[in-house]
Coordinates of all heavy atoms in Angstrom, one line a residue:
R409 N 15.6 99.8 -49.6 CA 16.7 100.6 -49.2 C 17.7 99.7 -48.4 O 18.7 100.3 -47.9 CB 16.2 101.8 -48.4 CG 15.7 102.9 -49.3 CD 14.5 103.6 -48.8 NE 14.1 104.7 -49.7 CZ 13.3 104.5 -50.8 NH1 12.9 103.3 -51.1 NH2 13.0 105.5 -51.6
S410 N 17.5 98.5 -48.3 CA 18.5 97.6 -47.7 C 19.3 96.7 -48.6 O 20.0 95.8 -48.2 CB 17.8 96.7 -46.6 OG 16.8 95.9 -47.2
I411 N 19.1 97.0 -50.0 CA 19.9 96.3 -51.0 C 21.3 96.8 -51.0 O 21.5 98.0 -51.2 CB 19.3 96.4 -52.4 CG1 17.8 95.9 -52.4 CG2 20.1 95.8 -53.4 CD1 17.1 96.2 -53.7
A412 N 22.3 95.9 -50.7 CA 23.7 96.3 -50.7 C 24.6 95.1 -50.8 O 24.2 94.0 -50.3 CB 24.0 97.2 -49.5
D413 N 25.7 95.3 -51.3 CA 26.7 94.2 -51.4 C 27.8 94.4 -50.3 O 28.9 93.8 -50.4 CB 27.4 94.1 -52.8 CG 26.3 93.8 -53.9 OD1 25.4 93.0 -53.5 OD2 26.5 94.2 -55.0
V414 N 27.5 95.2 -49.3 CA 28.5 95.5 -48.3 C 27.7 95.5 -46.9 O 26.4 95.5 -46.9 CB 29.1 96.9 -48.4 CG1 30.0 96.9 -49.7 CG2 28.1 98.0 -48.5
P415 N 28.4 95.4 -45.8 CA 27.7 95.4 -44.5 C 26.8 96.6 -44.3 O 27.2 97.7 -44.7 CB 28.8 95.4 -43.5 CG 30.0 94.8 -44.2 CD 29.8 95.2 -45.6
L416 N 25.6 96.4 -43.6 CA 24.6 97.4 -43.5 C 24.0 97.4 -42.1 O 23.9 96.3 -41.5 CB 23.5 97.2 -44.5 CG 22.3 98.1 -44.5 CD1 21.8 98.3 -46.0 CD2 21.1 97.4 -43.7
G417 N 23.7 98.5 -41.5 CA 23.1 98.6 -40.2 C 22.1 99.7 -40.1 O 21.7 100.3 -41.1
T418 N 21.7 100.1 -38.9 CA 20.7 101.2 -38.7 C 21.2 102.1 -37.6 O 21.8 101.7 -36.6 CB 19.3 100.8 -38.4 OG1 19.3 100.2 -37.1 CG2 18.8 99.7 -39.4
F419 N 20.9 103.4 -37.8 CA 21.1 104.4 -36.6 C 19.8 104.2 -35.8 O 18.7 104.2 -36.3 CB 21.1 105.8 -37.1 CG 22.3 106.2 -37.8 CD1 22.3 107.3 -38.7 CD2 23.5 105.6 -37.6 CE1 23.5 107.8 -39.3 CE2 24.7 106.0 -38.2 CZ 24.7 107.1 -39.1
L420 N 20.0 104.0 -34.5 CA 18.9 103.7 -33.6 C 19.0 104.7 -32.4 O 19.7 104.4 -31.4 CB 18.9 102.3 -33.1 CG 17.8 101.8 -32.1 CD1 16.4 102.1 -32.6 CD2 18.0 100.4 -31.7
S421 N 18.2 105.7 -32.5 CA 18.2 106.7 -31.4 C 17.2 106.4 -30.3 O 17.3 106.9 -29.2 CB 17.9 108.1 -32.0 OG 16.5 108.1 -32.4
G422 N 16.3 105.5 -30.6 CA 15.2 105.2 -29.7 C 14.0 106.0 -29.9 O 12.9 105.9 -29.2
G423 N 14.0 107.0 -30.9 CA 12.8 107.7 -31.2 C 11.9 106.9 -32.1 O 12.2 105.8 -32.5
V424 N 10.7 107.5 -32.5 CA 9.7 106.7 -33.2 C 10.3 106.3 -34.6 O 10.2 105.1 -34.9 CB 8.5 107.6 -33.5 CG1 7.5 107.0 -34.4 CG2 7.8 107.9 -32.1
D425 N 10.9 107.2 -35.3 CA 11.3 106.9 -36.7 C 12.4 105.8 -36.8 O 12.3 104.8 -37.5 CB 11.7 108.2 -37.4 CG 10.6 109.2 -37.3 OD1 9.4 108.9 -37.4 OD2 11.0 110.4 -37.2
S426 N 13.5 106.0 -36.1 CA 14.6 105.1 -36.1 C 14.2 103.7 -35.5 O 14.7 102.7 -36.0 CB 15.8 105.6 -35.5 OG 15.6 105.8 -34.1
S427 N 13.3 103.7 -34.5 CA 12.9 102.5 -33.9 C 12.1 101.6 -34.9 O 12.2 100.4 -35.1 CB 12.0 102.8 -32.7 OG 12.8 103.4 -31.7
I428 N 11.2 102.3 -35.7 CA 10.4 101.6 -36.7 C 11.2 101.1 -37.8 O 11.0 100.0 -38.3 CB 9.2 102.5 -37.2 CG1 8.2 102.7 -36.1 CG2 8.6 102.0 -38.4 CD1 7.1 103.7 -36.3
V429 N 12.2 101.9 -38.3 CA 13.0 101.5 -39.4 C 13.9 100.3 -38.9 O 14.0 99.3 -39.7 CB 14.0 102.6 -39.8 CG1 15.1 102.1 -40.7 CG2 13.2 103.7 -40.6
S430 N 14.4 100.3 -37.7 CA 15.2 99.2 -37.2 C 14.4 97.9 -37.1 O 14.8 96.8 -37.4 CB 15.9 99.6 -35.9 OG 16.7 100.7 -36.0
L431 N 13.2 98.1 -36.5 CA 12.2 97.0 -36.4 C 11.9 96.3 -37.7 O 12.0 95.1 -37.9 CB 10.9 97.5 -35.8 CG 9.8 96.5 -35.8 CD1 9.9 95.5 -34.6 CD2 8.4 97.1 -35.8
A432 N 11.6 97.2 -38.7 CA 11.3 96.6 -40.1 C 12.4 95.9 -40.7 O 12.3 94.8 -41.2 CB 10.8 97.8 -41.0
L433 N 13.6 96.4 -40.6 CA 14.8 95.7 -41.1 C 15.1 94.4 -40.4 O 15.3 93.4 -41.0 CB 16.0 96.6 -41.0 CG 17.3 96.0 -41.6 CD1 17.2 95.8 -43.1 CD2 18.5 96.9 -41.4
A434 N 14.9 94.4 -39.1 CA 15.1 93.2 -38.3 C 14.1 92.1 -38.7 O 14.5 90.9 -38.7 CB 15.0 93.5 -36.8
Q435 N 12.9 92.5 -38.9 CA 11.9 91.5 -39.3 C 12.1 90.9 -40.6 O 11.6 89.8 -40.9 CB 10.5 92.2 -39.2 CG 10.0 92.5 -37.8 CD 8.7 93.2 -37.7 OE1 8.2 93.8 -38.7 NE2 8.0 93.1 -36.6

């Protein structure tokens, strides 16, 4: 879900779900 030809980021609320998604993308 991070395949894109344009700039991409994550919503990071600090909750469990967004924290894990952000962590996985960063890694």
Side-chain angles (χ1 to χ4, degrees):
R409 280 145 180 81
S410 60
I411 298 173
D413 296 329
V414 296
L416 175 146
T418 70
F419 287 158
L420 177 56
S421 67
V424 172
D425 304 324
S426 66
S427 296
I428 289 173
V429 167
S430 298
L431 170 84
L433 182 63
Q435 290 179 335

